[in-house]
Amino acid sequence: IFQVAAAAGHTVVLVDQSEEILKKSTKGIEESLKRVIKKKFADKPEAGTEFIEKTLKNLTTSTDAVAVVHSTDLVIEAIVENQETKNELFKTLDKFAPEHTIFASNTSSLQITQLANSTTRQDRFGGLHFFNPVPMMKLVEVIKTPMTSQKTFESLVDFSKAVGKSPVSCKDTPGFIVNRLLVPYMLEAVRLFERGDASKEDIDVAMKLGAGYPMGPFELLDYVGLDTTKYIIDGWHALEPNNPLFAPSPLLNKLVEEKKLGKKTGEGFYKYK
């Protein structure tokens, strides 16, 4: 998000907990920009170098969110997917941010309304859900709560377009559009496998070749992280315990308990070297 905003000409400050993390992030962005120019400026290497320099000029880093927020127009939160932690951050920043500053969360599963309620700027609060990897994925879900003003909503849509994305709008409903359809689909694939109706390999092949999906549901689960998926489904199940689409999966719970979380740990539904 930091990268695409800077590449579009915005002045951006990336805030994180330590200088070490920030150094790692900046290095990652430089590598990502090099990949971008290989495609975008394949026949114009000089223009590519200039693009990287201009983008990096728009980037600064800090470990002090309070000091930085004094001069911002838009705050995009993309921290750990935990309601209390996010609320604490927004509550603090709300005290120091200018009145006009818009707050947005990149959450994929939590209610934007509950996050907005931790501040005094409910009308200047919305959701901006980017998709991984952000430089490649064109979609942004713009979430409007019942309190989000039309002016704020339009500003978030305009920002999304300005950073080269295609915005879609959605009410503040569990999972918004993509995850509301995607997570139950992945869980239904796990249930199909749990019942012994088909192997995970065959289910993946079927969805890739039959539905044209780039990844099968088990490959996608391993890519997303089984812990992340479990966290989302547990949260939705607590909200709507009688909804069969949000029912927890014993197999998913078992794998998470065994710390088999997918690609990031080397094993999930599949093993990775």
Side-chain angles (χ1 to χ4, degrees):
I1 299 170
F2 182 48
Q3 177 186 322
V4 296
H10 292 279
T11 304
V12 198
V13 185
L14 176 66
V15 180
D16 216 316
Q17 291 174 311
S18 72
E19 289 296 343
E20 195 184 336
I21 296 169
L22 289 167
K23 273 180 195 165
K24 197 178 170 187
S25 300
T26 309
K27 196 174 177 226
I29 283 161
E30 285 173 11
E31 293 302 317
S32 179
L33 285 168
K34 283 174 190 170
R35 287 194 295 274
V36 169
I37 64 161
K38 268 184 187 172
K39 286 184 180 177
K40 206 173 176 182
F41 302 98
D43 50 349
K44 297 176 191 168
E46 284 173 15
T49 306
E50 194 184 330
F51 169 77
I52 288 183
E53 283 172 7
K54 273 175 82 175
T55 301
L56 293 176
K57 268 184 192 168
N58 293 331
L59 301 177
T60 48
T61 60
S62 173
T63 54
D64 189 348
V66 166
V68 167
V69 82
H70 287 287
S71 57
T72 53
D73 298 315
L74 173 64
V75 171
I76 302 175
E77 166 276 315
I79 64 170
V80 65
E81 199 70 339
N82 179 287
Q83 184 85 46
E84 285 174 26
T85 313
K86 287 182 192 285
N87 282 349
E88 279 304 310
L89 177 67
F90 280 125
K91 203 174 177 180
T92 304
L93 296 183
D94 187 45
K95 292 173 191 166
F96 298 95
E99 201 175 313
H100 75 275
T101 305
I102 292 172
F103 282 8
S105 176
N106 182 54
T107 180
S108 59
S109 65
L110 299 174
Q111 281 194 306
I112 303 293
T113 304
Q114 287 189 356
L115 297 172
N117 285 340
S118 65
T119 73
T120 57
R121 61 184 77 220
Q122 287 98 329
D123 59 324
R124 285 148 289 151
F125 202 116
L128 271 183
H129 182 217
F130 288 80
F131 287 79
N132 251 337
V134 176
M136 309 293 293
M137 300 290 272
K138 294 293 285 182
L139 187 69
V140 174
E141 291 175 323
V142 183
I143 318 305
K144 188 180 184 186
T145 78
M147 297 101 71
T148 309
S149 72
Q150 188 59 24
K151 187 184 174 189
T152 296
F153 173 71
E154 285 168 10
S155 297
L156 292 174
V157 168
D158 290 344
F159 173 78
S160 304
K161 288 177 181 173
V163 298
K165 302 301 175 194
S166 299
V168 294
S169 86
C170 183
K171 287 182 181 175
D172 189 18
T173 181
F176 315 132
I177 298 172
V178 174
N179 282 332
R180 178 62 180 79
L181 296 172
L182 195 59
V183 174
Y185 150 72
M186 292 193 294
L187 264 288
E188 195 55 27
V190 176
R191 291 183 195 112
L192 193 68
F193 174 54
E194 279 176 319
R195 290 194 300 269
D197 294 343
S199 71
K200 55 183 185 285
E201 292 82 3
D202 281 353
I203 295 168
D204 277 352
V205 169
M207 293 313 293
K208 284 190 285 189
L209 301 186
Y213 288 6
M215 279 188 212
F218 293 96
E219 291 170 321
L220 187 56
L221 279 158
D222 279 355
Y223 177 77
V224 168
L226 305 195
D227 52 338
T228 306
T229 307
K230 175 177 155 53
Y231 180 83
I232 294 169
I233 212 72
D234 286 352
W236 294 357
H237 182 62
L239 280 175
E240 296 181 32
N242 297 323
N243 190 333
L245 291 174
F246 299 164
S249 153
L251 177 57
L252 183 70
N253 291 348
K254 181 175 175 284
L255 288 168
V256 171
E257 210 175 291
E258 292 168 356
K259 302 283 188 286
K260 294 172 182 172
L261 309 180
K263 284 192 103 166
K264 60 187 171 188
T265 58
E267 186 176 353
F269 283 102
Y270 297 114
K271 287 185 179 179
Y272 303 88
K273 284 180 183 178

